[in-house]
């Protein structure tokens, strides 16, 4: 079978008009990548128009998908990067206001998430292994401890670990044949993409598959009623992440980073991704921060310390707190008994609680500050 070329894709896109000219001539197509029949690109639109351009995005996707030799297409909407853009972010409704106005046009250009879900918060990281899932689990439980009804969606297609961390076994069921019932553990509802695929069966996720699976996990699960749905994002800042950030109607995102420089550079990429999709970044969490020796009680900074706080300040985003590097966190999170639930009085659990309080404060106040300006080095 013939493989589509970049020229083929551009020719197809030239057939799609936006106003009086086609999307390619208007310079709306950005980051076009064509590889072995898999096509991805971003459609840059005015942030004011936001979701109104969804039909245009779909038309572009369809036109490219119809080309011979195209196996998958991932097209995402992003905001213009003009210098004025960061002053034009739509205002966020507060958590309560979002719940009241769900579905109403006054709620802002971003569509609401699944019905009966107050706000969706993404936990993201620039790379794997920084403790993103550990933070997502304990943050969800800490939010529950603060009196919220909480759900946790494990969207980490590369290594779903939430079932293990929550100690969940078995498969979710459907009572009505339409919606999947979320599983429950430690007082929170949870669904993992790991429930939908067989363990030990490596899957190669293509853009549209990721989108379909994640849309289902959001919309075809009986989440309601929830105040907050925490989403454990796939690590990195590729297509899957961008798509999810765009499709999931996120109220905001938190970025998990270790203090190491390299992880911080990745955290910056995460920030930049959310900025482009107009998702407010609530701030950065430094994980595996201070190490307290279990024998002598002495503090040491194995991966350095304070880098996330500095980066957050530099980027104009908030620092949401630091989680110590502690054996008890590793043991409880890998043993299916998260520390925020099983030892709430411990300093480690209190660190998660402090972060949860900050996240909640972000959700409950409209964040109308301009999005941080990202300068990539
Ligand atoms: P990610 O989701 O970023 O890939 P995980 O949450 O799976 O990372 O964490 C990777 C490993 O690090 C796990 O074994 C986890 O228990 C451990 N871990 C995460 N955070 C901490 C911490 N603060 N202290 C000790 N171990 C941690």
């Amino acid at each position: 079978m013939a493989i589509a070329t970049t020229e083929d894709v551009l020719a197809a896109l030239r057939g799609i008009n936006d106003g009086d000219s086609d999307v390619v001539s208007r310079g709306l197509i950005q980051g076009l990548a064509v590889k072995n029949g898999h096509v991805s690109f971003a459609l840059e639109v005015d942030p004011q128009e936001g979701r109104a351009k969804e039909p245009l995005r779909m038309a572009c996707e369809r036109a490219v998908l119809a080309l011979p030799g195209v196996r998958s297409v991932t097209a995402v909407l992003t905001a213009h990067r003009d210098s004025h853009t960061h002053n034009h972010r739509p205002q966020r409704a507060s958590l309560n206001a979002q719940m009241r106005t769900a579905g109403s046009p006054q709620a802002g250009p971003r569509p609401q998430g699944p019905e009966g879900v107050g706000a969706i918060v993404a936990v993201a990281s620039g790379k794997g292994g920084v403790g993103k899932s550990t933070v997502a689990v304990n943050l969800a439980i800490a939010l529950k401890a603060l009196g919220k009804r909480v759900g946790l969606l494990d969207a980490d297609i590369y290594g779903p670990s939430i079932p293990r961390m929550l100690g969940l076994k078995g498969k979710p069921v459907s009572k009505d044949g339409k919606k999947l019932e979320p599983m429950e553990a430690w007082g929170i509802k949870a669904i993992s993409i790991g429930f939908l695929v067989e363990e030990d069966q490596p899957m190669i996720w293509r853009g549209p598959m990721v989108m379909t699976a994640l849309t289902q996990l959001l919309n075809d699960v009986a989440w309601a009623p929830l105040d907050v749905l925490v989403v454990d994002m796939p690590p990195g800042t590729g297509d899957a992440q961008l798509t999810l950030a765009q499709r999931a109607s996120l109220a905001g995102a938190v970025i998990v980073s270790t203090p190491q420089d390299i992880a911080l550079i990745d955290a910056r990429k995460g920030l930049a991704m959310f900025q482009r999709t107009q998702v407010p970044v609530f701030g950065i969490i430094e994980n595996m921060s201070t190490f307290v020796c279990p024998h002598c009680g002495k503090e040491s900074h194995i991966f350095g310390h304070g880098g996330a706080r500095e980066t957050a300040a530099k980027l104009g985003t908030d620092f949401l707190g630091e989680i110590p590097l502690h054996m008890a966190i590793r043991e409880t999170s890998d043993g299916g008994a998260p520390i925020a639930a099983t030892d709430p009085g411990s300093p480690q659990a209190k660190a998660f609680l402090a972060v949860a309080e900050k996240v909640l404060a972000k959700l409950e106040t409209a964040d109308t500050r301009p999005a941080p300006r990202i300068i990539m080095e």
Side-chain angles (χ1 to χ4, degrees):
M1 191 171 77
I3 291 290
T5 63
T6 305
E7 284 67 38
D8 298 335
V9 173
L10 285 172
L13 289 170
R14 279 199 190 93
I16 307 293
N17 281 340
D18 180 42
D20 49 10
S21 153
D22 71 89
V23 289
V24 178
S25 310
R26 293 201 62 191
L28 303 185
I29 304 298
Q30 299 290 327
L32 174 62
V34 183
K35 201 173 170 194
N36 300 329
H38 301 293
V39 181
S40 62
F41 56 88
L43 193 62
E44 275 200 353
V45 299
D46 190 315
Q48 304 289 335
E49 294 176 306
R51 306 294 299 185
K53 289 292 181 193
E54 176 61 14
L56 184 67
R57 188 199 66 76
M58 284 168 68
C60 292
E61 206 170 66
R62 270 197 305 272
V64 177
L65 202 55
L67 285 173
V70 167
R71 288 192 271 183
S72 76
V73 182
T74 305
V76 296
L77 285 173
T78 68
H80 270 310
R81 278 172 300 172
D82 297 354
S83 53
H84 67 271
T85 304
H86 61 278
N87 291 325
H88 282 267
R89 210 182 59 204
Q91 292 201 349
R92 299 275 121 217
S94 74
L95 176 60
N96 294 331
Q98 280 190 27
M99 291 169 83
R100 272 200 308 280
T101 55
S104 81
Q106 290 92 333
R110 191 172 286 278
Q112 298 300 315
E115 213 172 303
V117 174
I120 305 179
V121 176
V123 179
S125 65
K127 62 168 207 170
V130 299
K132 172 181 55 59
S133 300
T134 304
V135 170
V137 165
N138 285 289
L139 172 64
I141 291 171
L143 287 167
K144 152 88 187 154
L146 293 171
K148 298 293 164 192
R149 296 166 298 180
V150 183
L152 179 60
L153 195 171
D154 180 6
D156 190 344
I157 47 176
Y158 306 113
S161 48
I162 299 298
R164 175 174 49 86
M165 288 187 177
L166 287 176
L168 279 172
K169 293 211 169 64
K171 295 235 178 236
V173 292
S174 176
K175 280 188 197 155
D176 60 2
K178 289 188 199 130
K179 290 216 169 194
L180 212 55
E181 292 297 317
M183 315 272 278
E184 287 212 37
W186 311 104
I188 60 170
K189 296 178 180 171
I191 277 287
S192 168
I193 204 153
F195 292 140
L196 305 185
V197 293
E198 291 304 322
E199 233 178 300
D200 305 328
Q201 255 203 350
M203 283 198 71
I204 299 164
W205 291 88
R206 289 183 283 113
M209 287 165 62
V210 176
M211 229 146 68
T212 311
L214 296 176
T215 309
Q216 273 187 301
L217 292 182
L218 275 170
N219 296 319
D220 299 345
V221 171
W223 289 114
L226 280 189
D227 297 314
V228 188
L229 178 62
V230 176
V231 179
D232 183 13
M233 296 276 285
T237 50
D239 284 348
Q241 291 80 357
L242 201 59
T243 306
L244 184 60
Q246 195 145 52
R247 293 289 173 92
S249 324
L250 301 174
V254 299
I255 315 269
V256 180
S257 177
T258 61
Q260 288 139 293
D261 277 347
I262 181 70
L264 284 172
I265 288 165
D266 287 320
R268 284 175 218 201
K269 282 194 203 141
L271 274 163
M273 177 181 79
F274 287 114
Q275 188 202 31
R276 293 196 70 197
T277 52
Q278 300 181 31
V279 172
V281 174
F282 288 164
I284 300 182
I285 301 168
E286 183 170 283
N287 187 35
M288 306 194 194
S289 194
T290 313
F291 174 72
V292 183
C293 172
H295 308 295
C296 67
K298 188 172 174 290
E299 276 191 15
S300 28
H301 302 135
I302 294 181
F303 295 130
H305 182 239
R309 188 187 287 273
E310 270 167 34
T311 303
K314 239 193 252 168
L315 297 174
T317 188
D318 281 347
F319 180 69
L320 298 175
E322 49 196 56
I323 309 295
L325 174 66
H326 200 283
M327 187 67 97
I329 295 182
R330 201 206 61 72
E331 283 171 355
T332 51
S333 98
D334 293 348
I339 197 154
T342 52
D343 193 3
S346 64
Q348 299 81 28
K350 284 185 181 154
F352 285 116
L353 208 58
V355 169
E357 274 166 359
K358 289 214 167 121
V359 169
L360 217 50
K362 290 275 181 188
L363 283 171
E364 281 170 353
T365 53
D367 183 6
T368 53
R369 289 180 321 159
R373 265 190 75 159
I374 310 296
I375 299 149
M376 301 294 284
E377 284 157 10

